[in-house]
Amino acid sequence: MAQPKYSTHLGMVDILPDEIRKWQFLENLIREEAHKFNFEEIRTPIMEQTELIVRGLGQLTDIVSKEIFAFSRGDDNYVLRPELTAPVVRAYVENHLDQRGGSQKLYYIGPMFRAERPQKGRQRQFHQFGVEVIGSSDAVSDVEVIAFMIHIYHKIGITNTTLKLNSIGDPDSREAYKDALRTYLKPNYEKLSEISKKRFEKNPLRILDSKEEEDQPLIENAPLITDYLNEESVSHYSRVKEYLTDLGISFEEDPYLVRGMDYYTQTAFELISPDLGAQDALAGGGRYDLLIEEIGGQPTPAVGFAAGIERLFIACEELGIDLGGEKEVDVYIVTLGDHARRWGLKQLPKLREKGVSATMDYMGRSMKAQMKDANRENARYAIIVGENELNEGKFTFRDMKESKEEALSFEEISNLLAEQSA
RNA sequence: GAGCUCGUAGCUCAGUUGGUUAGAGCGCCAGGUUGUGGCCCUGGAGGCCGUGGGUUCAAUUCCCAUCGGGCUCCCCA
């Protein structure tokens, strides 16, 4: 096929009418369920100051060091948001949301941007939904966040997932563990993969989830973070696990689970699906008790997760779950001739006012073509109108599913339709 | 950033061992029915065979590059 003159940027896709229904279905579901959990929606700008993202996520993270879309204009630096935790925290601090009292229970849905090489389950513009609970250090908030995440997938029918859980402790625990890890790795430093060598000084934790062949034996025998958690961290972690058990949410402890952003503390979790291929994380999150202060607010504990919408859809496809349903319209007015056409145009608003979805031909086509169109549009009923009907004031009201029709006044038809759509 | 692989109509794909007007199914449009859809029949529109260059008398077919898709590594949603 000839190449179109213009196209989307690499890794960015159009969401077309035939697929929009599943997006709307999911978005509605998220909003309804979030409401049940008493989470409130927050929307922040698509662009943030570069400094917020760099400070928030950490200079050395992959996202910041190589996956950011950034540009400057005058003295201002802009970055397309790669995730929403840091922006939500920025909004929390900037707008003094702590003054609303209690903990803030926020959720979001929207596009994110990362300049990666696209592949299955990975685009440069992709969509996430997520939740941030800011202000509580109680394990109840960790567990509610996880419960909401799982709840959404279960509602949809994605149940063959694994919740991976770990604690990376508070900063003291983590420093103690990093030291232990370095001490352990040092004698074997030369055996480490190149990439792990780079991580050795700055973020040895990340060596743990290295997939390099040569690192595996070293990782196997490495000390575990779990053994270096201080009392407070241990107690928080065990409460999280207890509460999850109370709720009947099963999990798999994974002492090697280390998340990509620097702001995480204590609880870390990921929801994995076997249906996704190489990119198997449906959602991930954790606690980030230091981020608010890092960004310039009061020290405030918080926990949240982010979930990939495209990956959710991939899982649905693999499982044969259809979220969209058919497009449909209540009634299609089929008109013959100019009089009928003008009559039809005038009836449309009356029907819509009664809550009935209604349409008609825009192209002046033959009756047959209009019927075909009504069928394609999945119209439940058709109103057929020509000179005869106009003269008699009785219109042909056709049930497209039953293939039955009767002559009725417009009044009678619109009442019937209004009843049906009520 | 690296590797593998693919690129023919709107979609799914045949095909050309290099040679006159490149095919099918589905979809789209129209007709068969002068006022009736979904089935059926007939016809039509729609491709410089992703783009650029090279080899050749001749390239959609061979070679190179490039762009795009898919998959993988890295990392994450």
Side-chain angles (χ1 to χ4, degrees), chain A residues 188-204:
Chain A
N188 301 299
Y189 182 82
E190 283 311 317
K191 291 185 195 159
L192 285 172
S193 64
E194 283 313 304
I195 187 144
S196 291
K197 281 177 186 164
K198 277 184 204 157
R199 289 169 175 161
F200 182 82
E201 273 310 319
K202 285 157 186 163
N203 199 349

Side-chain angles (χ1 to χ4, degrees), chain A residues 170 179 289 349 393:
Chain A
D170 63 13
D179 285 343
D289 291 340

Side-chain angles (χ1 to χ4, degrees), chain A residues 332 341 348 352 359-365 373:
Chain A
Y332 191 112
R341 209 168 145 73
L348 290 173
R352 291 165 184 157
T359 189
M360 63 184 279
D361 169 61
Y362 285 179
M363 306 208 291
R365 289 186 289 186
D373 199 32

Side-chain angles (χ1 to χ4, degrees), chain A residues 120-363:
Chain A
K120 185 178 188 183
R122 171 181 294 163
Q123 297 169 191
R124 289 186 159 194
Q125 177 176 345
F126 62 104
H127 297 76
Q128 290 184 329
F129 67 93
V131 152
E132 312 292 350
V133 173
I134 307 176
S136 167
S137 60
D138 197 294
V140 163
S141 59
D142 302 50
V143 170
E144 276 271 277
V145 162
I146 293 172
F148 179 76
M149 175 179 85
I150 303 268
H151 177 70
I152 294 291
Y153 291 97
H154 280 214
K155 271 270 163 190
I156 289 168
I158 301 174
T159 51
N160 60 337
T161 56
T162 304
L163 175 64
K164 293 204 168 188
L165 192 66
N166 191 21
S167 174
I168 54 173
D170 63 13
D172 287 343
S173 305
R174 207 158 52 248
E175 279 314 313
Y177 175 61
K178 279 187 191 173
D179 285 343
L181 199 54
R182 286 198 198 93
T183 308
Y184 160 78
L185 292 171
K186 198 136 206 171
N188 301 299
Y189 182 82
E190 283 311 317
K191 291 185 195 159
L192 285 172
S193 64
E194 283 313 304
I195 187 144
S196 291
K197 281 177 186 164
K198 277 184 204 157
R199 289 169 175 161
F200 182 82
E201 273 310 319
K202 285 157 186 163
N203 199 349
L205 290 192
R206 292 278 294 287
I207 295 176
L208 293 182
D209 62 5
S210 161
K211 275 147 191 146
E212 300 292 328
E213 201 57 46
E214 58 258 57
D215 291 338
Q216 298 311 317
L218 286 171
I219 293 169
E220 256 173 59
N221 299 309
L224 296 177
I225 178 83
T226 332
D227 299 327
Y228 288 80
L229 298 179
N230 61 24
E231 206 176 318
E232 201 193 319
S233 296
V234 167
S235 126
H236 181 83
Y237 189 35
S238 51
R239 260 177 296 148
V240 168
K241 289 186 284 189
E242 279 170 35
Y243 297 171
L244 282 174
T245 306
D246 285 348
L247 291 180
I249 296 172
S250 53
F251 54 87
E252 205 171 87
E253 286 188 72
D254 178 358
Y256 301 118
L257 176 64
V258 178
R259 309 233 349 119
M261 272 72 87
D262 286 355
Y263 53 60
Y264 284 112
T265 55
Q266 307 281 15
T267 316
F269 57 87
E270 254 174 38
L271 191 67
I272 308 297
S273 163
D275 301 312
L276 292 183
Q279 272 61 52
D280 65 352
L282 277 170
R287 181 161 278 287
Y288 47 95
D289 291 340
L290 303 175
L291 179 60
I292 290 94
E293 188 178 11
E294 173 73 28
I295 279 175
Q298 295 299 312
T300 309
V303 60
F305 80 85
I309 291 181
E310 284 84 354
R311 288 186 187 181
L312 185 154
F313 288 147
I314 292 172
C316 282
E317 259 171 58
E318 297 295 331
L319 296 168
I321 299 169
D322 180 20
L323 297 181
E326 295 293 298
K327 72 171 169 179
E328 54 193 9
V329 63
D330 293 327
V331 63
Y332 191 112
I333 303 183
V334 174
T335 65
L336 292 119
D338 200 44
H339 284 141
R341 209 168 145 73
R342 291 181 66 175
W343 179 87
L345 181 61
K346 285 191 295 184
Q347 309 319 308
L348 290 173
K350 296 181 193 167
L351 292 166
R352 291 165 184 157
E353 206 168 310
K354 293 195 169 187
V356 175
S357 60
T359 189
M360 63 184 279
D361 169 61
Y362 285 179
M363 306 208 291

Side-chain angles (χ1 to χ4, degrees), chain A residues 23 48 91 143 156 166-167 169 204 239 290 306 311 319 331 366 370 387 389 398 400 403 420:
Chain A
W23 284 82
E48 293 284 346
V143 170
I156 289 168
N166 191 21
S167 174
R239 260 177 296 148
L290 303 175
R311 288 186 187 181
L319 296 168
V331 63
S366 71
Q370 292 184 51
E387 289 300 327
E389 285 84 352
R398 182 178 178 83
M400 298 291 284
S403 297
Q420 293 240 346

Side-chain angles (χ1 to χ4, degrees), chain A residues 87-104:
Chain A
V88 166
V89 165
R90 189 226 83 232
Y92 173 93
V93 172
E94 184 173 352
N95 299 288
H96 312 286
L97 295 189
D98 58 318
Q99 295 301 309
R100 300 175 82 213
S103 57
Q104 297 304 306

